[in-house]
Amino acid sequence: MITRLTAAAGLLALSASLAVAQTPTATPAETATKADSNLKEWQVAKVAKIGLAQALTTAEAQGDEKGGRAIDADFEKADSKDPAHYAIKVVYPSGKLVEYGINADTGALYKTENQPFERYFTRLKASDFQNAKTSLKDALAIAEQKAGGGKAYEAEVEKDGSTVQYEIKVAGADKDQKIKVGPDGKVLN
């Protein structure tokens, strides 16, 4: 009788171990989102495997037209239909504007959406981005350095006279901060 109970307990322990081993592992951003849906975007972005600079590189490499430049990037937490991702807008020399969704945990492109340039910008032209001395990717690096090594997770381009400037959100250890970078690469705040 004791031998049967011991064998049954052993089989139960083995089957429980196998069930745990077969359970899919959640990505860091999914874990943070599932653990506490009240986390702010910057808190989830901090644990994403893919950084914004890498996501920008992936987005700028997309499309048939060469010379596209990223002009806007937003981090979005995972929801019921989309993974945690960066929504990155790229403008091409022709004036074409495309939004790319880059998965924040895999770096893979998972969606593409053409957008009317006029709907997005009322005062900026495609040439404003092409002529900027500092790219959005360069501005990210400058902002992360200014923030003391934080992780950039959102970026926006604004018009400054006849050129552009960048507003970058950086996730730090315990807070996020906005850093503005001018067209010459200098920090404005």
Side-chain angles (χ1 to χ4, degrees), residues 4 11 16-17 19 21 39 49 63 67 94-95 98 122 126 139 160 169 176 178:
R4 285 187 203 163
L11 285 175
S17 296
L39 287 176
K49 290 181 181 177
S94 67
V98 180
T122 56
D160 179 30
K169 289 184 181 178
D176 70 331
K178 287 183 187 177

Side-chain angles (χ1 to χ4, degrees), residues 170-184:
V170 181
D174 59 354
K175 64 178 180 169
D176 70 331
Q177 43 184 317
K178 287 183 187 177
I179 298 180
K180 287 195 175 206
V181 179
D184 56 359

Side-chain angles (χ1 to χ4, degrees), residues 135-187:
S135 70
L136 180 57
K137 203 180 314 180
D138 294 336
L140 289 180
I142 293 165
E144 287 176 339
Q145 183 178 14
K146 173 70 175 171
K151 185 176 181 180
Y153 69 97
E154 289 192 6
E156 184 177 331
V157 178
E158 301 169 343
K159 186 165 181 149
D160 179 30
S162 62
T163 188
V164 296
Q165 68 180 16
Y166 307 96
E167 182 176 281
I168 315 288
K169 289 184 181 178
V170 181
D174 59 354
K175 64 178 180 169
D176 70 331
Q177 43 184 317
K178 287 183 187 177
I179 298 180
K180 287 195 175 206
V181 179
D184 56 359
K186 292 186 179 170
V187 175

